[in-house]
Amino acid sequence: MALLPILRYPDERLFRQAAPVEAVDDTIRRLAGDMAETMYAAPGIGLAATQVDVHLRVIVIDVTEDKSGLLVLVNPVILSRDGECEGDEGCLSVPGIYESVTRSERVRVRALNLEGQPFELDAEGLLAVCIQHEMDHLEGKVFVQYLSRLKQSRIRAKLAKQARITA
């Protein structure tokens, strides 16, 4: 497995919509493994293929404390949403920025696993939020787009300053 470079907001590649995976094969399994390794190393709790410049509908998530609950969703689709919750979100593509976003409290998702078998999952709380956040990436949307234009401008400026300092 390998660590993959994570795109940083406002990189235009983050705004591309991901294509469906045609077949779950060794290439997709290797991608999911590399994405998981990258997510854990970052460290984070979710990563979409879009964030590593692979525009396929694959996400990895692990919201457990001990990193024992890796969830891989290939071609995920939200079947239903319920309730509403608001909380601070961060993103590996927007390092150091945390802002409040409103999401559905519960979701039901259909996806393929790494064997190509369909399954459905009911998620709530942090897992539901993480699924919605990562699925936004597959649609070419970054969580800061839920914020005001002023906040988006400030975030861009802050990230540009960080990039100059570390360069």
PDB file of all heavy atoms in Angstrom, residues 15-40:
ATOM      1  N   PHE A  15     -13.512  19.818  -7.374  1.00  0.00           N
ATOM      2  CA  PHE A  15     -14.870  20.172  -7.797  1.00  0.00           C
ATOM      3  C   PHE A  15     -15.364  19.308  -8.960  1.00  0.00           C
ATOM      4  O   PHE A  15     -16.430  19.577  -9.519  1.00  0.00           O
ATOM      5  CB  PHE A  15     -14.940  21.663  -8.142  1.00  0.00           C
ATOM      6  CG  PHE A  15     -14.469  22.524  -7.005  1.00  0.00           C
ATOM      7  CD1 PHE A  15     -13.257  23.184  -7.068  1.00  0.00           C
ATOM      8  CD2 PHE A  15     -15.210  22.633  -5.839  1.00  0.00           C
ATOM      9  CE1 PHE A  15     -12.803  23.958  -6.014  1.00  0.00           C
ATOM     10  CE2 PHE A  15     -14.765  23.393  -4.772  1.00  0.00           C
ATOM     11  CZ  PHE A  15     -13.557  24.059  -4.858  1.00  0.00           C
ATOM     12  N   ARG A  16     -14.597  18.281  -9.321  1.00  0.00           N
ATOM     13  CA  ARG A  16     -15.014  17.355 -10.383  1.00  0.00           C
ATOM     14  C   ARG A  16     -15.916  16.275  -9.804  1.00  0.00           C
ATOM     15  O   ARG A  16     -15.674  15.753  -8.720  1.00  0.00           O
ATOM     16  CB  ARG A  16     -13.782  16.685 -11.009  1.00  0.00           C
ATOM     17  CG  ARG A  16     -13.003  17.609 -11.900  1.00  0.00           C
ATOM     18  CD  ARG A  16     -11.845  16.937 -12.574  1.00  0.00           C
ATOM     19  NE  ARG A  16     -12.230  15.695 -13.252  1.00  0.00           N
ATOM     20  CZ  ARG A  16     -11.352  14.813 -13.702  1.00  0.00           C
ATOM     21  NH1 ARG A  16     -10.058  15.010 -13.545  1.00  0.00           N
ATOM     22  NH2 ARG A  16     -11.764  13.737 -14.316  1.00  0.00           N
ATOM     23  N   GLN A  17     -16.947  15.948 -10.559  1.00  0.00           N
ATOM     24  CA  GLN A  17     -17.853  14.888 -10.134  1.00  0.00           C
ATOM     25  C   GLN A  17     -17.229  13.534 -10.451  1.00  0.00           C
ATOM     26  O   GLN A  17     -16.649  13.338 -11.524  1.00  0.00           O
ATOM     27  CB  GLN A  17     -19.199  15.037 -10.845  1.00  0.00           C
ATOM     28  CG  GLN A  17     -20.266  14.145 -10.268  1.00  0.00           C
ATOM     29  CD  GLN A  17     -21.649  14.533 -10.746  1.00  0.00           C
ATOM     30  OE1 GLN A  17     -21.806  15.371 -11.622  1.00  0.00           O
ATOM     31  NE2 GLN A  17     -22.652  13.914 -10.176  1.00  0.00           N
ATOM     32  N   ALA A  18     -17.327  12.610  -9.509  1.00  0.00           N
ATOM     33  CA  ALA A  18     -16.741  11.273  -9.667  1.00  0.00           C
ATOM     34  C   ALA A  18     -17.640  10.374 -10.507  1.00  0.00           C
ATOM     35  O   ALA A  18     -18.868  10.452 -10.435  1.00  0.00           O
ATOM     36  CB  ALA A  18     -16.511  10.648  -8.302  1.00  0.00           C
ATOM     37  N   ALA A  19     -17.013   9.512 -11.287  1.00  0.00           N
ATOM     38  CA  ALA A  19     -17.737   8.555 -12.144  1.00  0.00           C
ATOM     39  C   ALA A  19     -18.007   7.267 -11.370  1.00  0.00           C
ATOM     40  O   ALA A  19     -17.235   6.894 -10.479  1.00  0.00           O
ATOM     41  CB  ALA A  19     -16.900   8.252 -13.386  1.00  0.00           C
ATOM     42  N   PRO A  20     -19.069   6.574 -11.728  1.00  0.00           N
ATOM     43  CA  PRO A  20     -19.331   5.279 -11.077  1.00  0.00           C
ATOM     44  C   PRO A  20     -18.218   4.273 -11.379  1.00  0.00           C
ATOM     45  O   PRO A  20     -17.618   4.301 -12.453  1.00  0.00           O
ATOM     46  CB  PRO A  20     -20.646   4.811 -11.715  1.00  0.00           C
ATOM     47  CG  PRO A  20     -21.252   6.027 -12.324  1.00  0.00           C
ATOM     48  CD  PRO A  20     -20.122   6.942 -12.681  1.00  0.00           C
ATOM     49  N   VAL A  21     -17.970   3.397 -10.411  1.00  0.00           N
ATOM     50  CA  VAL A  21     -17.024   2.304 -10.602  1.00  0.00           C
ATOM     51  C   VAL A  21     -17.723   1.243 -11.449  1.00  0.00           C
ATOM     52  O   VAL A  21     -18.823   0.804 -11.113  1.00  0.00           O
ATOM     53  CB  VAL A  21     -16.580   1.728  -9.243  1.00  0.00           C
ATOM     54  CG1 VAL A  21     -15.781   0.451  -9.419  1.00  0.00           C
ATOM     55  CG2 VAL A  21     -15.801   2.771  -8.460  1.00  0.00           C
ATOM     56  N   GLU A  22     -17.094   0.855 -12.547  1.00  0.00           N
ATOM     57  CA  GLU A  22     -17.692  -0.135 -13.453  1.00  0.00           C
ATOM     58  C   GLU A  22     -17.649  -1.541 -12.859  1.00  0.00           C
ATOM     59  O   GLU A  22     -18.597  -2.312 -12.989  1.00  0.00           O
ATOM     60  CB  GLU A  22     -16.980  -0.119 -14.806  1.00  0.00           C
ATOM     61  CG  GLU A  22     -17.111   1.199 -15.555  1.00  0.00           C
ATOM     62  CD  GLU A  22     -18.534   1.496 -15.999  1.00  0.00           C
ATOM     63  OE1 GLU A  22     -19.278   0.551 -16.326  1.00  0.00           O
ATOM     64  OE2 GLU A  22     -18.901   2.687 -16.012  1.00  0.00           O
ATOM     65  N   ALA A  23     -16.512  -1.899 -12.243  1.00  0.00           N
ATOM     66  CA  ALA A  23     -16.358  -3.225 -11.644  1.00  0.00           C
ATOM     67  C   ALA A  23     -15.424  -3.120 -10.454  1.00  0.00           C
ATOM     68  O   ALA A  23     -14.405  -2.437 -10.522  1.00  0.00           O
ATOM     69  CB  ALA A  23     -15.793  -4.206 -12.671  1.00  0.00           C
ATOM     70  N   VAL A  24     -15.786  -3.792  -9.361  1.00  0.00           N
ATOM     71  CA  VAL A  24     -14.913  -3.827  -8.193  1.00  0.00           C
ATOM     72  C   VAL A  24     -13.878  -4.914  -8.445  1.00  0.00           C
ATOM     73  O   VAL A  24     -14.173  -6.103  -8.410  1.00  0.00           O
ATOM     74  CB  VAL A  24     -15.709  -4.102  -6.900  1.00  0.00           C
ATOM     75  CG1 VAL A  24     -14.771  -4.155  -5.704  1.00  0.00           C
ATOM     76  CG2 VAL A  24     -16.776  -3.040  -6.704  1.00  0.00           C
ATOM     77  N   ASP A  25     -12.654  -4.474  -8.741  1.00  0.00           N
ATOM     78  CA  ASP A  25     -11.575  -5.405  -9.073  1.00  0.00           C
ATOM     79  C   ASP A  25     -10.358  -5.091  -8.204  1.00  0.00           C
ATOM     80  O   ASP A  25     -10.443  -4.288  -7.270  1.00  0.00           O
ATOM     81  CB  ASP A  25     -11.233  -5.318 -10.567  1.00  0.00           C
ATOM     82  CG  ASP A  25     -10.874  -3.906 -11.024  1.00  0.00           C
ATOM     83  OD1 ASP A  25     -10.582  -3.041 -10.158  1.00  0.00           O
ATOM     84  OD2 ASP A  25     -10.868  -3.658 -12.240  1.00  0.00           O
ATOM     85  N   ASP A  26      -9.228  -5.709  -8.521  1.00  0.00           N
ATOM     86  CA  ASP A  26      -8.020  -5.500  -7.718  1.00  0.00           C
ATOM     87  C   ASP A  26      -7.561  -4.048  -7.730  1.00  0.00           C
ATOM     88  O   ASP A  26      -7.012  -3.564  -6.734  1.00  0.00           O
ATOM     89  CB  ASP A  26      -6.889  -6.417  -8.203  1.00  0.00           C
ATOM     90  CG  ASP A  26      -7.120  -7.868  -7.797  1.00  0.00           C
ATOM     91  OD1 ASP A  26      -7.950  -8.110  -6.888  1.00  0.00           O
ATOM     92  OD2 ASP A  26      -6.476  -8.761  -8.381  1.00  0.00           O
ATOM     93  N   THR A  27      -7.786  -3.352  -8.826  1.00  0.00           N
ATOM     94  CA  THR A  27      -7.407  -1.937  -8.896  1.00  0.00           C
ATOM     95  C   THR A  27      -8.196  -1.119  -7.874  1.00  0.00           C
ATOM     96  O   THR A  27      -7.632  -0.286  -7.168  1.00  0.00           O
ATOM     97  CB  THR A  27      -7.630  -1.381 -10.323  1.00  0.00           C
ATOM     98  OG1 THR A  27      -6.846  -2.146 -11.230  1.00  0.00           O
ATOM     99  CG2 THR A  27      -7.256   0.081 -10.418  1.00  0.00           C
ATOM    100  N   ILE A  28      -9.493  -1.380  -7.774  1.00  0.00           N
ATOM    101  CA  ILE A  28     -10.350  -0.666  -6.818  1.00  0.00           C
ATOM    102  C   ILE A  28      -9.986  -1.073  -5.394  1.00  0.00           C
ATOM    103  O   ILE A  28      -9.921  -0.232  -4.489  1.00  0.00           O
ATOM    104  CB  ILE A  28     -11.847  -0.918  -7.114  1.00  0.00           C
ATOM    105  CG1 ILE A  28     -12.221  -0.342  -8.486  1.00  0.00           C
ATOM    106  CG2 ILE A  28     -12.733  -0.361  -6.001  1.00  0.00           C
ATOM    107  CD1 ILE A  28     -12.007   1.152  -8.639  1.00  0.00           C
ATOM    108  N   ARG A  29      -9.726  -2.367  -5.169  1.00  0.00           N
ATOM    109  CA  ARG A  29      -9.335  -2.810  -3.832  1.00  0.00           C
ATOM    110  C   ARG A  29      -8.004  -2.178  -3.404  1.00  0.00           C
ATOM    111  O   ARG A  29      -7.843  -1.766  -2.255  1.00  0.00           O
ATOM    112  CB  ARG A  29      -9.268  -4.342  -3.781  1.00  0.00           C
ATOM    113  CG  ARG A  29     -10.656  -4.994  -3.757  1.00  0.00           C
ATOM    114  CD  ARG A  29     -10.591  -6.493  -3.560  1.00  0.00           C
ATOM    115  NE  ARG A  29     -10.345  -7.195  -4.813  1.00  0.00           N
ATOM    116  CZ  ARG A  29     -11.284  -7.522  -5.698  1.00  0.00           C
ATOM    117  NH1 ARG A  29     -12.548  -7.198  -5.474  1.00  0.00           N
ATOM    118  NH2 ARG A  29     -10.974  -8.165  -6.800  1.00  0.00           N
ATOM    119  N   ARG A  30      -7.063  -2.060  -4.327  1.00  0.00           N
ATOM    120  CA  ARG A  30      -5.778  -1.427  -4.034  1.00  0.00           C
ATOM    121  C   ARG A  30      -5.988   0.062  -3.734  1.00  0.00           C
ATOM    122  O   ARG A  30      -5.404   0.613  -2.797  1.00  0.00           O
ATOM    123  CB  ARG A  30      -4.800  -1.615  -5.197  1.00  0.00           C
ATOM    124  CG  ARG A  30      -3.386  -1.150  -4.915  1.00  0.00           C
ATOM    125  CD  ARG A  30      -2.360  -1.585  -5.960  1.00  0.00           C
ATOM    126  NE  ARG A  30      -2.834  -1.657  -7.337  1.00  0.00           N
ATOM    127  CZ  ARG A  30      -3.204  -2.792  -7.959  1.00  0.00           C
ATOM    128  NH1 ARG A  30      -3.153  -3.950  -7.354  1.00  0.00           N
ATOM    129  NH2 ARG A  30      -3.629  -2.758  -9.213  1.00  0.00           N
ATOM    130  N   LEU A  31      -6.840   0.722  -4.536  1.00  0.00           N
ATOM    131  CA  LEU A  31      -7.163   2.127  -4.294  1.00  0.00           C
ATOM    132  C   LEU A  31      -7.743   2.300  -2.893  1.00  0.00           C
ATOM    133  O   LEU A  31      -7.321   3.189  -2.145  1.00  0.00           O
ATOM    134  CB  LEU A  31      -8.147   2.641  -5.348  1.00  0.00           C
ATOM    135  CG  LEU A  31      -8.743   4.031  -5.103  1.00  0.00           C
ATOM    136  CD1 LEU A  31      -7.661   5.108  -5.127  1.00  0.00           C
ATOM    137  CD2 LEU A  31      -9.841   4.332  -6.119  1.00  0.00           C
ATOM    138  N   ALA A  32      -8.705   1.460  -2.529  1.00  0.00           N
ATOM    139  CA  ALA A  32      -9.339   1.558  -1.205  1.00  0.00           C
ATOM    140  C   ALA A  32      -8.301   1.350  -0.097  1.00  0.00           C
ATOM    141  O   ALA A  32      -8.312   2.061   0.915  1.00  0.00           O
ATOM    142  CB  ALA A  32     -10.476   0.554  -1.079  1.00  0.00           C
ATOM    143  N   GLY A  33      -7.389   0.404  -0.286  1.00  0.00           N
ATOM    144  CA  GLY A  33      -6.339   0.170   0.703  1.00  0.00           C
ATOM    145  C   GLY A  33      -5.414   1.361   0.838  1.00  0.00           C
ATOM    146  O   GLY A  33      -5.062   1.773   1.956  1.00  0.00           O
ATOM    147  N   ASP A  34      -5.015   1.940  -0.293  1.00  0.00           N
ATOM    148  CA  ASP A  34      -4.160   3.121  -0.270  1.00  0.00           C
ATOM    149  C   ASP A  34      -4.881   4.311   0.359  1.00  0.00           C
ATOM    150  O   ASP A  34      -4.290   5.089   1.116  1.00  0.00           O
ATOM    151  CB  ASP A  34      -3.702   3.488  -1.684  1.00  0.00           C
ATOM    152  CG  ASP A  34      -2.709   2.494  -2.274  1.00  0.00           C
ATOM    153  OD1 ASP A  34      -2.164   1.647  -1.525  1.00  0.00           O
ATOM    154  OD2 ASP A  34      -2.479   2.558  -3.510  1.00  0.00           O
ATOM    155  N   MET A  35      -6.161   4.445   0.051  1.00  0.00           N
ATOM    156  CA  MET A  35      -6.947   5.538   0.640  1.00  0.00           C
ATOM    157  C   MET A  35      -7.056   5.375   2.150  1.00  0.00           C
ATOM    158  O   MET A  35      -6.927   6.354   2.894  1.00  0.00           O
ATOM    159  CB  MET A  35      -8.345   5.592   0.008  1.00  0.00           C
ATOM    160  CG  MET A  35      -8.369   6.120  -1.410  1.00  0.00           C
ATOM    161  SD  MET A  35     -10.002   5.954  -2.187  1.00  0.00           S
ATOM    162  CE  MET A  35     -11.048   6.876  -1.049  1.00  0.00           C
ATOM    163  N   ALA A  36      -7.278   4.146   2.618  1.00  0.00           N
ATOM    164  CA  ALA A  36      -7.379   3.905   4.057  1.00  0.00           C
ATOM    165  C   ALA A  36      -6.059   4.240   4.742  1.00  0.00           C
ATOM    166  O   ALA A  36      -6.037   4.927   5.777  1.00  0.00           O
ATOM    167  CB  ALA A  36      -7.780   2.454   4.329  1.00  0.00           C
ATOM    168  N   GLU A  37      -4.952   3.789   4.167  1.00  0.00           N
ATOM    169  CA  GLU A  37      -3.638   4.087   4.743  1.00  0.00           C
ATOM    170  C   GLU A  37      -3.405   5.602   4.794  1.00  0.00           C
ATOM    171  O   GLU A  37      -2.926   6.134   5.798  1.00  0.00           O
ATOM    172  CB  GLU A  37      -2.545   3.412   3.923  1.00  0.00           C
ATOM    173  CG  GLU A  37      -1.167   3.569   4.518  1.00  0.00           C
ATOM    174  CD  GLU A  37      -0.088   2.810   3.766  1.00  0.00           C
ATOM    175  OE1 GLU A  37      -0.403   1.987   2.883  1.00  0.00           O
ATOM    176  OE2 GLU A  37       1.090   3.050   4.070  1.00  0.00           O
ATOM    177  N   THR A  38      -3.787   6.294   3.739  1.00  0.00           N
ATOM    178  CA  THR A  38      -3.637   7.751   3.672  1.00  0.00           C
ATOM    179  C   THR A  38      -4.511   8.426   4.721  1.00  0.00           C
ATOM    180  O   THR A  38      -4.056   9.346   5.419  1.00  0.00           O
ATOM    181  CB  THR A  38      -4.006   8.245   2.252  1.00  0.00           C
ATOM    182  OG1 THR A  38      -3.163   7.587   1.303  1.00  0.00           O
ATOM    183  CG2 THR A  38      -3.866   9.745   2.127  1.00  0.00           C
ATOM    184  N   MET A  39      -5.752   7.974   4.863  1.00  0.00           N
ATOM    185  CA  MET A  39      -6.686   8.550   5.834  1.00  0.00           C
ATOM    186  C   MET A  39      -6.153   8.376   7.253  1.00  0.00           C
ATOM    187  O   MET A  39      -6.133   9.320   8.038  1.00  0.00           O
ATOM    188  CB  MET A  39      -8.055   7.885   5.703  1.00  0.00           C
ATOM    189  CG  MET A  39      -9.069   8.284   6.759  1.00  0.00           C
ATOM    190  SD  MET A  39     -10.571   7.292   6.698  1.00  0.00           S
ATOM    191  CE  MET A  39     -10.004   5.701   7.299  1.00  0.00           C
ATOM    192  N   TYR A  40      -5.705   7.167   7.582  1.00  0.00           N
ATOM    193  CA  TYR A  40      -5.198   6.914   8.934  1.00  0.00           C
ATOM    194  C   TYR A  40      -3.944   7.737   9.222  1.00  0.00           C
ATOM    195  O   TYR A  40      -3.762   8.247  10.321  1.00  0.00           O
ATOM    196  CB  TYR A  40      -4.885   5.427   9.130  1.00  0.00           C
ATOM    197  CG  TYR A  40      -6.114   4.537   9.213  1.00  0.00           C
ATOM    198  CD1 TYR A  40      -6.191   3.369   8.467  1.00  0.00           C
ATOM    199  CD2 TYR A  40      -7.188   4.855  10.041  1.00  0.00           C
ATOM    200  CE1 TYR A  40      -7.302   2.535   8.542  1.00  0.00           C
ATOM    201  CE2 TYR A  40      -8.305   4.037  10.122  1.00  0.00           C
ATOM    202  CZ  TYR A  40      -8.361   2.875   9.371  1.00  0.00           C
ATOM    203  OH  TYR A  40      -9.465   2.057   9.452  1.00  0.00           O
TER     204      TYR A  40
END
